[in-house]
Each structure stands twice: as structure tokens, then as C-alpha cells.
Amino acid sequence: MSEQVRAQRRAAEADVIVVGAGPSGATAAFFLARAGLNVLLLEKTRFPREKVCGDGLTPRAVKELIGMGVDIDGPGWIRNKGLRVVGGGLRLELDWPDLHSYPDFGLVRTRMDFDQILAEHAERNGVTLIQGITVTGPVLDERSGHVVGVTARKDGEDVTYGARLVVAADGNSSRLSLAMGLHKREDRPMGVAVRTYYTSPRHDDDYLETWLELWDGDRLLPGYGWIFPVGDGTSNVGLGLLNTSAAFKNIDYRDLLRRWVKNMPAEWGYTEENMVGQIRGAALPMAFNRQPHYTRGLMLVGDAGGSINPFNGEGIAYAMETGRTAADIIVQALSRTTPAQRERVLREYPRILKDVYGGYFTLGRLFVEAIGKPGVMKFATRHGLPHPTLMRFALKLLANLTDRRGDASDRIINALSKVAPPA
């Protein structure tokens, strides 16, 4: 340890430090603490805090919430039956599939308090949560080069925390990952999402709604719009676009959102005077755009590892799943008696992620490359929406909702994901 680090005030040790209390970090911390480990969860902001998101939770995310024991029946949790798809002059309502592996309903909960609910749930289960602390970098062992803690700044004071392992749940920019030389891959798709809220009579809709045709004048863009009911008198309205379009860098996304909602029926209330808050945007790192997911004592989860689904831009479910998987691997690794044995277990984490998601994410990359070409999305919308059976298959594919031994559509999707090269 350097003299600079020695000069800093040394804080309490932990078995594992988790940096970032979003869905991936809170989930990882929860499962680590439930296994009996001493866990420190560091969050740079203070709750409640806003995050740019559609606020929609598919059955994949609902399954993770149920698995953690989060109460999803109380106030503020809005259930939905499925997805309403709009495009090509048609509207098609698709219920979430009836599967053994996932519940048959989705949820909406704003990120203003969703992350706080998960973090406080983790805290009640033994996690030490510290808010308002900015992690500034990793602490490296001089001999092995492994991460053995983090440096941070809180209330104007430098502090160092030591741990046996560190989990980077610090989002798309991931300062810890960059400090360890883990940069984004340019061969992975990137999206941008912008959203705002409007007071609207559609606030209690039974379906999430997605618009597949996103027009900029006479030009069809590679992305989609959404209208999600929040249940508190407002709708979350937004759009997502992909960098597979040549126009990606030249679009004023906020202006595009304003122009898009002007075409909505007046009775929906999506007007400037009904807007609640500003239009805000965020990057969507997709298809494992930062790898490897483990290196020298640092494990990547959620957006830090680019775990957003390229098919639909969903991130919360995969954040929670990677957090849970990372926790399981860490618990197994720290039970081993020698450093070599622990390292062998930890190095399985990237392989497990590739086995579970790699092929599917590769299919998603091919999908976003295809819809980035002019006319492909228009053709798919106009020729796919009139066929409900095909669209139910598409819903399963895009939302990644299948049973291992399900019906024919499940088997096709699972087989395609298995044979595709891992992301």
C-alpha cells in the first residue's frame, strides 16, 4: 500500500465492498449478506434519487424481486398484464406468456424509490449501507496487483476501505473498471433512452405500450417509443434509439420526444403544460460491452459490465440477475482455503455469464444491426403485426421469456441462443 493511502484514515474492513447501490449492487449485497458475509455497500448519491428509466419491470425482474422477498403488493407497485404493440396502423395486445419459470405479470415502479427499496431491503438483511460517498479508485495489493479495497471521499475527507473482493456496480461510466483497464468494446451496440412524465388519464393502463415505428419526419429511426402507466396520475413516456443508425449522433433526442408526443390524441394529455419534470436521457450499454467481468479481485455487475438486453433495452432484470450470480460465485470462492482455489472459482464468473446470456446477446446484436438499416423495421412492423402467433413468438424472444422445456417457440429460441457464438 502506498504512503498516500497509508496517510488516509483507514475505515472498517469488509469481506466484500459493493460500489453502487443500484439494482445490481443492492441485489449482490443482499445475497452476500444473507450468506453471512460482512458487506459494505457504497452509494455516491443519497436516497431518494432519480434515475433515467422506463420504470417498467418485465416478469424476469419480477422473479428476482420475489426471490429477494421484496414486498411487491404494497402501495406504489402497479401490475400489468403484458405488452401492447403499436405499429403499421395496428395495435396488438400481447399478454405475458404463461411459463413455469417466470410470473405472468409485470410491474411498474419509478426509479425515484425503486433503488432505495432494494438498498434498504439489503440493509435490513445485514448490509452496511453508506450514502453520499464517492469512490475514487481501487486499492491494489503491491505484490499481486489484486484489488484489496477502494479509496473514497466522504464529507470532504479521504478514506480507504479494505476488503477481500470488490464488486463494481457503478454503472455505465464505471470508474473502477476504467482504473483497472477495462474499457468499453466498440463492437457492441449502444443505446440512448430519454423520458419524462406527463399527467394523464392513461396512468392506470393494464398494459405497457411500445411503439415500433419511431418517425423523424419521413425517416424511420432504429428504436422505439414507450408509454408506461405509473399509477400515480402520470405516464412515463420515452423513446430509445440505437447507435446502429447513421443518424444516431445527429439527433436531438429531447426535441424528437416532444415532436413524437404531439401526434398523440389530445385526450391523453401529453402536452408541455402536463409535463412533470424535465426530459432526461441516459446511455444504455448493451451486450456485454465491457469485459472480462472478473479480473484481479474486481467483479462487474449490471451496467458496469454492459448487461442490458440489446433486443429491448431492458436493464433492471439483468442487473439483478448478474448481481445474484456474482454473489453466489463470491460466496463459493471465499469458502475456499487458498488464494489459488478462490481465484479459480472467481474466474468462472465470466464463463457463466457467457453460457447464460452470451448466445442470446449475440442474437440481439444481429437484431439491432438489422433494424439499423433503412426499411427493415418498417417491413418487420407491417408484415409481422398482422400475425398474432408470430408476435407472441417475438414477445418471448425480445423479452427473453422462455421455459427450458417449453413449447415449440421456447425450444426454437433456446436452440438459437445455444448455437449462437457467445457475446
Side-chain angles (χ1 to χ4, degrees):
M1 189 176 297
S2 70
E3 289 303 318
Q4 179 183 1
V5 171
R6 290 179 190 279
Q8 296 171 334
R9 181 173 62 85
R10 186 126 187 121
E13 302 288 341
D15 290 316
V16 183
I17 293 173
V18 181
V19 179
S24 63
T27 301
F30 167 81
F31 283 105
L32 289 166
R34 199 174 71 167
L37 296 178
N38 180 6
V39 184
L40 194 57
L41 179 59
L42 307 179
E43 167 59 35
K44 67 179 179 180
T45 64
R46 293 186 180 275
F47 294 118
R49 55 107 164 95
E50 190 175 15
K51 275 290 189 76
V52 176
C53 185
D55 301 332
L57 303 168
T58 70
R60 285 192 78 98
V62 175
K63 178 181 179 179
E64 294 302 312
L65 291 168
I66 293 172
M68 289 177 64
V70 175
D71 179 11
I72 58 173
D73 294 319
W77 297 96
I78 307 301
R79 293 198 179 200
N80 54 73
K81 297 178 180 179
L83 188 68
R84 181 184 300 112
V85 183
V86 181
L90 299 173
R91 290 173 178 264
L92 182 63
E93 291 184 349
L94 301 167
D95 288 351
W96 296 118
D98 183 13
L99 301 170
H100 299 296
S101 303
Y102 300 98
D104 62 353
F105 64 94
L107 293 167
V108 172
R109 184 91 193 199
T110 68
R111 294 293 295 277
M112 179 60 77
D113 66 354
F114 177 79
D115 294 11
Q116 181 176 1
I117 290 169
L118 293 189
E120 292 179 349
H121 184 67
E123 191 175 26
R124 287 192 297 271
N125 283 271
V127 172
T128 299
L129 171 65
I130 301 178
Q131 301 179 51
I133 181 168
T134 300
V135 172
T136 54
V139 176
L140 303 182
D141 180 85
E142 289 183 346
R143 289 180 294 180
S144 67
H146 275 56
V147 178
V148 291
V150 298
T151 56
R153 190 165 183 81
K154 180 174 174 57
D155 300 327
E157 184 180 4
D158 292 330
V159 61
T160 300
Y161 296 91
R164 302 170 71 185
L165 282 169
V166 174
V167 175
D170 50 348
N172 174 53
S173 57
S174 190
R175 179 179 292 183
L176 281 176
S177 301
L178 292 175
M180 295 295 289
L182 301 179
H183 298 275
K184 296 176 184 176
R185 295 181 56 156
E186 298 299 326
D187 61 344
R188 296 293 188 263
M190 177 67 74
V192 168
V194 294
R195 68 95 178 97
T196 189
Y197 297 91
Y198 295 94
T199 55
S200 171
R202 301 197 63 197
H203 73 99
D204 58 354
D205 197 335
D206 285 334
Y207 288 84
L208 303 178
E209 186 167 289
T210 182
W211 292 53
L212 297 185
E213 290 182 312
L214 194 60
W215 292 96
D216 183 20
D218 59 354
R219 186 175 45 161
L220 188 62
L221 299 173
Y224 63 94
W226 70 76
I227 301 172
F228 292 170
V230 181
D232 62 353
T234 68
S235 298
N236 180 315
V237 182
L239 52 86
L241 296 108
L242 299 160
N243 66 352
T244 50
S245 165
F248 179 77
K249 295 181 179 180
N250 301 316
I251 297 173
D252 184 336
Y253 308 106
R254 292 167 176 80
D255 181 62
L256 179 60
L257 177 59
R258 285 189 169 94
R259 286 186 282 125
W260 178 56
V261 298
K262 283 182 179 179
N263 298 318
M264 303 294 182
E267 61 268 23
W268 292 1
Y270 300 145
T271 61
E272 288 289 325
E273 55 267 27
N274 289 339
M275 186 184 296
V276 180
Q278 299 178 338
I279 299 176
R280 300 185 62 196
L284 304 177
M286 298 176 171
F288 293 158
N289 75 332
R290 185 179 279 116
Q291 298 182 32
H293 288 88
Y294 171 77
T295 183
R296 294 183 291 149
L298 182 71
M299 191 169 281
L300 277 55
V301 296
D303 286 6
S307 63
I308 290 178
N309 182 348
F311 276 110
N312 64 2
E314 179 183 11
I316 292 178
Y318 300 92
M320 298 180 72
E321 289 175 11
T322 55
R324 172 174 50 79
T325 302
D328 181 62
I329 292 292
I330 290 171
V331 170
Q332 294 299 322
L334 294 187
S335 70
R336 302 303 195 265
T337 55
T338 68
Q341 291 173 334
R342 290 192 290 271
E343 193 69 10
R344 191 176 304 117
V345 174
L346 292 167
R347 287 178 179 173
E348 283 294 290
Y349 176 63
R351 183 192 63 78
I352 290 172
L353 293 189
K354 284 182 176 290
D355 285 349
V356 175
Y357 307 105
Y360 176 79
F361 280 177
T362 295
L363 295 177
R365 288 164 53 202
L366 297 175
F367 172 79
V368 299
E369 288 172 8
I371 66 172
K373 299 175 182 178
V376 173
M377 177 62 90
K378 183 177 180 180
F379 178 87
T381 299
R382 297 191 181 279
H383 293 276
L385 273 175
H387 302 282
T389 300
L390 177 60
M391 291 306 297
R392 282 191 289 270
F393 173 85
L395 175 63
K396 283 188 171 185
L397 174 64
L398 271 61
N400 199 10
L401 294 172
T402 62
D403 280 328
R404 180 173 295 182
R405 297 181 180 178
D407 61 17
S409 62
D410 293 0
R411 293 193 293 273
I412 291 171
I413 295 169
N414 295 339
L416 289 172
S417 299
K418 188 174 182 178
V419 300

